[in-house]
Amino acid sequence: MPAVIQLPAGKALTVRAAADVFLDSLGNPNTVRNYAIGVGKIAERLGEGRPLVSVADDEIGEALELLWGTSAVNTWNARRASVLSWLGWCGERGYDGPAVPVWAKRLTPPDSETPARSKMAIDRLIARREVHLREKTLWRMLYETTARAEEILGVNIEELDLAGRRAPVRGKGARPRTRRRGAIREDFVLETVYWDAGTARLLPRLLKGRTRGPVFVTHRKPGPGKVVSARDICPDTGLARLSYGQARMLLDEHTALGGGPGTGWDLHEWRHSGLTHLGEGGASLLMLMAKSRHKKPENVRRYFHPSAEAIAEVTSLLAPSDGRR
């Protein structure tokens, strides 16, 4: 557990002070080194002596664009993730400030740059003793379901079918939010994901008798200034749903060992690796589409790697019958 940091009281938190207390709260030296680059440069660009509350969202986005807008996709995503975690951390502790604007989006790495991790590498990472049960369960579930990280992070316990090893997720095809009588209503496309024995063994241990609320939660309750929806809070423990940015930071912390910023694994790699291994194992194109919930064959074709034996078997269907020469 990282040390508890005493934040300055009685006065507005400056940009520099906010950056320092956030970095001091990170326990892993590799994470501190990686995140210090993004957070430090953004703080310099914004003006270190300014009150954090005076910074606008668009200023954050513009600073990101100026510093790393022309960098590689992984570098942009790593820097953006560090700033997202920093600002989220401050907000959870009751310090008003900016957020990363919606238009400064996380970029999807090109397919050629998204590695498929080997089964051995995946098993070794999840088996490491220093990896918390929450992360073990999340990573194994992402790999076995081949679901998107935001889909799995959004699942609640009451939605799990533990016996059937399945759960509905709010799929990527969600319709835009609509406004009705002044209230915002979200319409989602619900799709089903399935997991296997690895996730089935870990989930009951993670839940520890909890029967409602988010499956994956933070280890600390949100601060008094943090506004969290009822769905995103465990009603029994008061812990909040684990965010995408937090999950990304945790994965980077365990996989960027000895590497520079952006060298850790990306959450998308679990989905990519799972589908690749299914394709290498002989899964048909239609089965891969059903598993991944892709709508277009061209989007899943890169995972389709039929073996020589499978090709020989299907070719045998073209052979003449015994009665013909």
Side-chain angles (χ1 to χ4, degrees), residues 17 37 87 102 128-129 178 187 189 206-207 239 250 304 306:
I37 298 175
L87 298 177
V102 175
R128 279 163 47 182
R129 288 189 175 184
T178 58
D187 294 323
V189 174
L206 176 69
L207 301 179
L239 299 175
L250 289 165
F304 184 50

Side-chain angles (χ1 to χ4, degrees), residues 2-324:
V4 176
I5 306 299
Q6 182 66 42
L7 296 178
K11 60 180 180 180
L13 200 62
T14 65
V15 171
R16 182 71 264 171
D20 288 343
V21 293
F22 168 71
L23 294 173
D24 288 343
S25 73
L26 303 176
N28 187 287
N30 291 311
T31 305
V32 174
R33 184 168 55 253
N34 292 344
Y35 277 60
I37 298 175
V39 174
K41 288 188 175 294
I42 286 288
E44 292 175 4
R45 173 70 62 174
L46 295 173
E48 296 179 329
R50 293 177 58 187
L52 183 65
V53 71
S54 71
V55 180
D57 293 3
D58 283 347
E59 287 183 82
I60 297 293
E62 289 164 3
L64 284 168
E65 285 286 348
L66 286 170
L67 291 167
W68 301 292
T70 58
S71 300
V73 170
N74 284 342
T75 300
W76 163 268
N77 286 341
R79 301 293 186 265
R80 178 185 176 278
S82 66
V83 175
L84 192 70
S85 296
W86 167 43
L87 298 177
W89 187 92
C90 290
E92 288 175 357
R93 281 147 186 82
Y95 281 86
D96 293 332
V100 175
V102 175
W103 56 263
K105 296 180 179 180
R106 180 186 179 277
L107 301 179
T108 301
D111 296 333
S112 59
E113 295 184 13
T114 304
R117 305 293 176 175
S118 69
K119 292 182 179 179
M120 181 179 295
I122 288 172
D123 290 341
R124 284 180 174 175
L125 174 61
I126 296 177
R128 279 163 47 182
R129 288 189 175 184
E130 69 272 21
V131 176
H132 193 275
L133 176 61
R134 178 187 60 188
E135 282 74 77
K136 291 177 185 285
T137 309
L138 173 62
W139 298 343
R140 179 61 69 181
M141 197 171 186
L142 288 174
Y143 175 67
E144 292 185 355
T145 61
T146 72
R148 301 172 183 88
E150 56 269 27
E151 295 173 340
I152 295 301
L153 290 170
V155 174
N156 275 19
I157 298 171
E158 53 268 36
E159 298 164 344
L160 298 173
D161 179 355
L162 294 176
R165 297 180 179 180
R166 70 188 71 182
V169 297
R170 289 159 173 77
K172 192 177 180 180
R175 292 189 287 272
R177 291 194 290 182
T178 58
R179 189 175 296 273
R180 175 175 292 181
R181 293 183 180 178
I184 295 178
R185 187 193 70 186
E186 296 189 49
D187 294 323
F188 295 97
V189 174
L190 290 179
E191 299 173 317
T192 302
V193 297
Y194 301 80
W195 57 84
D196 202 50
T199 303
R201 285 193 298 267
L202 293 170
L203 268 175
R205 293 172 52 198
L206 176 69
L207 301 179
K208 291 182 180 179
R210 289 195 297 129
T211 59
R212 53 185 182 165
V215 174
F216 299 99
V217 294
T218 57
H219 290 158
R220 293 180 179 179
K221 295 181 180 180
K226 180 72 171 180
V227 178
V228 184
S229 70
R231 175 179 165 78
D232 294 330
I233 288 286
C234 173
D236 299 320
T237 65
L239 299 175
R241 186 184 307 278
L242 188 71
S243 70
Y244 185 97
Q246 291 167 327
R248 171 67 180 85
M249 183 180 73
L250 289 165
L251 179 59
D252 186 68
E253 178 177 330
H254 288 289
T255 56
L257 302 178
T263 59
W265 295 17
D266 188 88
L267 288 170
H268 180 67
E269 292 177 30
W270 296 111
R271 174 174 168 85
H272 187 86
S273 299
L275 291 172
T276 298
H277 297 160
L278 288 173
E280 292 172 345
S284 69
L285 183 61
L286 290 177
M287 188 58 70
L288 284 175
M289 289 182 65
K291 177 68 173 174
S292 67
R293 294 166 290 120
H294 279 104
K295 302 301 186 290
K296 298 179 180 179
E298 57 266 27
N299 291 337
V300 76
R301 197 178 301 278
R302 61 182 178 274
Y303 304 113
F304 184 50
H305 304 289
S307 64
E309 292 77 11
I311 295 175
E313 182 178 352
V314 73
T315 303
S316 68
L317 298 176
L318 303 176
S321 63
D322 294 340
R324 297 179 61 185

